[in-house]
Amino acid sequence: MRTHAGRFTLMVETREGRFTAIYSERGLRGLAFPEGKGRRSEARVGPGVPREVRTWHKLTAKAVALVLAGRAVRAMPPLDMGEGTAFQQAVWAALTRIPRGRTATYREVAAAIGRPRSARAVGQACGANPVPLLVPCHRVVATGGGLGGFSGGLRWKQMLLAREGAGGPAS
DNA sequence: CCCTAGCGGTGCT
DNA sequence: AGCACCGCTAGGG
């Protein structure tokens, strides 16, 4: 079978910077935080992009804006997270069940997927989450009031939690 | 605050 | 099979 027949990279402009969204033919496959200062100007949605992907991208852009504003996300694009292991899939699915404005500890997420001693592995799986923000790994914190880690940088995690009103450890 | 030991999943050799 | 990573936790200075 053909490997990844289609792959499209589109940008999401926000006041906080430019996010990068990657799509397969099945849906949103990755979302990357803004990198260093605005480098080259980026691919805009051009004629090579299927209508379906454009539709998904609109949903992505809207969802990103809402999460950054700490507001409820109404609609999500389909997610293509099929690359993960069974354990990772279980963790990512559990993340989507953490309500906005609330947090769960790594330990609680581990328990929720039936692996109560795998808190550390949960952290690793969170770090491997290809679609941060929309799959809210920022809502997972350490036992005992610590923030835990965040692949996109702890500043982001802190900001996201503050904006959605989660009584963050340090807030 | 620090340090240490124990833990489980993943990826590389 | 072994081993060295890790967004962790619990316990003890």
Side-chain angles (χ1 to χ4, degrees):
Chain A
M1 62 177 183
R2 276 223 94 51
T3 67
H4 71 269
R7 197 113 180 224
F8 305 95
T9 301
L10 285 72
M11 301 299 158
V12 179
E13 305 288 347
T14 77
R15 237 180 55 224
E16 328 288 342
R18 185 181 338 222
F19 287 76
T20 306
I22 299 169
Y23 300 86
S24 71
E25 66 279 9
R26 311 228 292 269
L28 179 64
R29 190 194 186 86
L31 184 64
F33 284 89
E35 320 211 339
K37 299 311 173 195
R39 251 329 125 82
R40 52 226 161 117
S41 67
E42 285 308 339
R44 307 161 31 101
V45 179
V49 180
R51 171 196 264 86
E52 184 177 49
V53 171
R54 279 188 246 208
T55 303
W56 295 342
H57 190 59
K58 282 180 183 158
L59 293 174
T60 299
K62 183 68 177 171
V64 167
L66 286 169
V67 172
L68 289 179
R71 308 198 30 239
V73 172
R74 295 157 166 276
M76 292 263 286
L79 302 180
D80 177 13
M81 309 214 294
E83 296 287 306
T85 66
F87 180 85
Q88 289 168 335
Q89 309 271 357
V91 170
W92 299 336
L95 299 184
T96 66
R97 283 177 228 121
I98 307 172
R100 176 175 59 103
R102 305 253 320 273
T103 60
T105 64
Y106 294 98
R107 189 175 176 63
E108 287 168 343
V109 173
I113 63 171
R115 295 217 136 46
R117 283 172 290 172
S118 305
R120 191 170 193 175
V122 165
Q124 195 177 246
C126 287
N129 169 17
V131 189
L133 276 198
L134 305 191
V135 176
C137 46
H138 59 279
R139 294 181 188 142
V140 188
V141 297
T143 299
L147 253 196
F150 197 66
S151 41
L154 282 180
R155 271 143 267 240
W156 279 105
K157 189 171 188 173
Q158 210 162 356
M159 180 186 84
L160 293 168
L161 288 176
R163 290 195 182 171
E164 64 184 50
S171 105

